[in-house]
Each structure stands twice: as C-alpha cells, then as structure tokens.
Amino acid sequence: MSTVYLFIVRAMSEQQVLTDHAVQREAIDISDFVYAATGARVRRLTLPSGEHWFPAADICRQLGYVNTSDALRRHVPESMRCVVATLVSREALHISAGHGLRTSMVLMNLHGLIRLVNGCVKRECEPFKNWITEIAVTVQQEGSYSLRKAELQPSSPQPGTPPAYAVPQQLTEALVRLEESRLRSDEKAAAAQEEANQARWGATKAQQVAVLTQRQYARAMDDMVTAHQATARSMCRIAEALEELVSRGGIGASPARERPLPSAAASRAVRTADDLLAAWRSRLSAGEDVWAVAAFLAPVLMEEGEAGHSLAEIAEQTGLTQARVHDSLRFLLKRQAIRQTGISPEGAPVYVVRYEPCRP
C-alpha cells in the first residue's frame, strides 16, 4: 500500500509548521488534506524532511473515538506512532514554548491518521474514505494513481519545481461541505450569542423597571404618610375649635345618658391615677378595652400632665390591637374624659385630662 500514499509527499506548497522549519512544497496542502479527512483543523509537528506528525488525542477526539489508547491499539501500528520526547531527541528538534506539545504526548504520522479515519464511522468522513478507496481500486486496475494537473501553474516556477496539481473533486466537495457546516455553526453561535445578549438586556431592563417601581412605591408611601399627618393636624384643629365652642356654650350639651362633668369640687378631689379612674367609672359605661386604655393613660396623665403615645405603643402595653385602641380613644374623647391638644414631634396625638386635676 506504500504506492497508494506516494502522492502525499510530493513537493508542491510551502507551509509554516510548529517547528518553524521550512518544508518542501506538497501536492495537496496538508491543512486542507487533514481538514477533509477529519473535519477539523488539528495541531501538527512537521519534520525538516516534510513528514507530519499529529497528536493522537486531537485526532481521536475529532473522529469521535472515546478511548484514545484503545483506538490506537486497534487501528494504528506502533511503527506509525511515537512519543514527542523520542521524536524530538531522534530528529534533534527544538519545540518552542506555546505550542502545547508535552514530551509525554503520543503522536501519529499521516499513515496512522488515515488508518484512524478509515476506522471511523462519522458520516463526515465518508467522502475522504471513498476517495481513499478509489485510489486503491485505481492502483489495482491501472497500476498507478496520479492527481490531475491544475489549470493554472505558477507564473515563474523555480528550476526543477514540479507542476501544481488540482485538489481531487471528492476532497473539494468535502472541504466545501465542511466550510458550509462551519459557517452554519458560526451563524447559529452568533444567533445564540445575540439571543443571550437580548436576554441579558431584557433582564437588566426588568431590574431597572423593578427598581423604578420600588422607588415609585416608596414615594407613594411617603406621600400617604404626609397626607395622614396633615389630616391628623387638621382633625386636631377641628377638635380644638369644637372644644372652644363648647367652652363658650355655643353647641350642644352632653349625651342624654351621660352624667354631667364633675364639678370643680369633684375635680379637686382627683389627686391620683386611681382617683381619675374612679371619676371616669362614676360617669362612664364602657367595655374592658376602654378601661384597659384608660388604665394605661391615667398614670401618665396624672404624673406628666399629658400623654403623647402612638397607637402602636398603647397596643403593645395593653395587649389590644391598634384598631381596638383607636376605638377606645375615640370613646374617651367623645365622652369628654380626655381631649387632644396637638401632635407630638413623633406624629402621635397628645391628650390631656378634660379638667385640671388637683395637685398636692
């Protein structure tokens, strides 16, 4: 079969290789030849004599072999493979840094590469395998195989330079299909990248919208709190105005079922929180919620003269809900047990006793 591969080492085209040696021209560019055979651009080590060696792991990976050692044992004789350290030592080569060839790496020559391709079952390798088969049949029938001379020859060839040969039609078709497949893969990769970019942009936009929505919500809550505070201040002013009218005798009397306010003598008798609670109980009929709130307010009113606690604070001390605290305070206000005089700096209403208790 050595006659079959004679065309491979014919001198035709120069190529820069990993060892930086200038090699002879080849009938078929080695890069195109290997690309058509394996469907990929693979690394290679080219000797000064023009012999090419390829990393076995690279070739097996491209051809779909799972186990490199098993593939070499089954398809590639030992004479067609070599370790980098042995080859470099034998040929006195120097491999510069950056080529990625380790001294323990197994290489195979072009004969071994073709043996692996012939044993491969990938559909992409069929055109190359058919061409190799055609070469063998032609040699058997006609005694030789040669490439067709290219229509265009070098304009000023060097003396002794052989003519240029055309790439076989089978390899040309394989190369075209591989390039088309690569272009389609590149287009798919570009489309996937664009889709990923769009997704990232969409996620960023959604985050921006979420942040904007949170800011709008925060501003709305601030506006609502401001409105509630303004309403509370307005209610205080209304309450003060109504109280002023009542004190001047301008509007109605106490509810029919309520007893009149304590007299001045009775107010002078209120000296402690217990006295204040007793005074309230003597004229008010209320539920447990009201008396729980009253029991909390009375000591504060008697000791400090006023109580400026929020609904939350009173609810926490009495164990009631804020809604029940609110209703109890309204009851005490309507029954004129307490009155509101303003708003504390913290925004809580300030209450005082409806009449001035007697101080000791």
Side-chain angles (χ1 to χ4, degrees):
M1 289 297 293
S2 59
T3 307
V4 179
Y5 304 118
L6 288 178
F7 71 94
I8 296 176
V9 295
R10 292 180 182 174
M12 284 306 300
S13 63
E14 292 184 358
Q15 178 165 0
Q16 194 73 15
V17 295
L18 292 179
T19 55
D20 298 326
H21 290 288
V23 297
Q24 294 177 323
R25 298 163 66 90
E26 298 177 324
I28 299 177
D29 183 84
I30 186 61
S31 296
D32 291 340
F33 185 86
V34 175
Y35 188 39
T38 64
R41 306 289 185 184
V42 296
R43 296 177 294 176
R44 74 176 185 277
L45 175 64
T46 302
L47 305 182
S49 62
E51 184 180 8
H52 303 291
W53 291 83
F54 308 89
D58 292 3
I59 302 300
C60 289
R61 181 172 58 254
Q62 295 299 333
L63 296 179
Y65 290 104
V66 177
N67 190 314
T68 299
S69 299
D70 182 65
L72 294 178
R73 180 178 54 81
R74 291 167 51 193
H75 299 288
V76 183
E78 291 186 5
S79 61
M80 298 180 185
R81 39 191 161 106
C82 186
V83 178
V84 170
T86 301
L87 188 65
V88 170
S89 175
R90 186 181 69 198
E91 300 291 335
L93 298 177
H94 171 72
I95 301 177
S96 58
H99 290 149
L101 295 180
R102 300 186 303 275
T103 56
S104 60
M105 185 177 290
V106 178
L107 304 177
M108 69 178 68
N109 60 16
L110 198 56
H111 294 73
L113 183 148
I114 295 173
R115 294 284 292 266
L116 273 182
V117 173
N118 285 335
C120 177
V121 295
K122 287 182 64 175
R123 182 174 57 85
E124 292 80 0
C125 295
E126 287 303 314
F128 183 85
K129 293 163 66 174
N130 292 337
W131 178 56
I132 294 296
T133 303
E134 180 183 339
I135 293 174
V137 172
T138 302
V139 170
Q140 189 275 329
Q141 293 177 348
E142 303 178 10
S144 64
Y145 178 89
S146 62
L147 299 174
R148 180 174 55 85
K149 291 184 179 180
E151 297 180 0
L152 296 178
Q153 295 293 325
S155 57
S156 57
Q158 298 294 327
T161 300
Y165 292 94
V167 177
Q169 182 66 26
Q170 297 93 329
L171 292 190
T172 302
E173 294 176 355
L175 290 172
V176 169
R177 284 195 296 271
L178 287 170
E179 287 299 322
E180 290 177 348
S181 176
R182 184 184 63 80
L183 290 175
R184 288 193 297 270
S185 298
D186 292 345
E187 291 175 355
K188 290 181 180 179
Q193 183 63 40
E194 179 63 23
E195 184 177 352
N197 292 339
Q198 291 291 337
R200 284 195 294 270
W201 182 87
T204 302
K205 191 67 175 178
Q207 292 174 352
Q208 293 175 348
V209 171
V211 171
L212 180 60
T213 303
Q214 291 175 353
R215 291 175 179 173
Q216 291 174 340
Y217 176 78
R219 285 197 295 268
M221 292 299 295
D222 291 341
D223 293 342
M224 184 174 65
V225 170
T226 301
H228 285 173
Q229 291 176 346
T231 301
R233 288 192 292 270
S234 299
M235 294 298 294
C236 288
R237 288 194 291 270
I238 293 173
E240 291 173 357
L242 290 175
E243 185 177 348
E244 182 68 19
L245 288 174
V246 170
S247 63
R248 294 179 180 179
I251 58 177
S254 302
R257 290 182 296 177
E258 297 294 337
R259 289 184 288 274
L261 291 175
S263 63
S267 66
R268 286 194 296 270
V270 177
R271 298 176 178 274
T272 65
D274 291 338
D275 294 340
L276 181 59
L277 285 173
W280 285 344
R281 287 184 180 275
S282 66
R283 66 183 190 86
L284 299 177
S285 296
E288 293 299 325
D289 292 353
V290 173
W291 294 123
V293 174
F296 171 77
L297 292 177
V300 180
L301 292 172
M302 294 303 296
E303 292 176 6
E304 301 180 8
E306 62 181 14
H309 299 277
S310 65
L311 294 179
E313 292 175 327
I314 300 176
E316 182 179 357
Q317 295 296 325
T318 60
L320 303 174
T321 64
Q322 294 189 31
R324 292 165 67 181
V325 171
H326 176 269
D327 293 341
S328 299
L329 290 172
R330 286 190 59 189
F331 178 88
L332 294 173
L333 285 168
K334 290 178 64 176
R335 298 304 186 268
Q336 300 183 14
I338 58 176
R339 63 185 177 90
Q340 184 174 343
T341 60
I343 300 293
S344 69
E346 292 77 17
V350 177
Y351 302 106
V352 297
V353 182
R354 186 77 173 117
Y355 59 86
E356 284 295 330
C358 180
R359 301 292 183 184

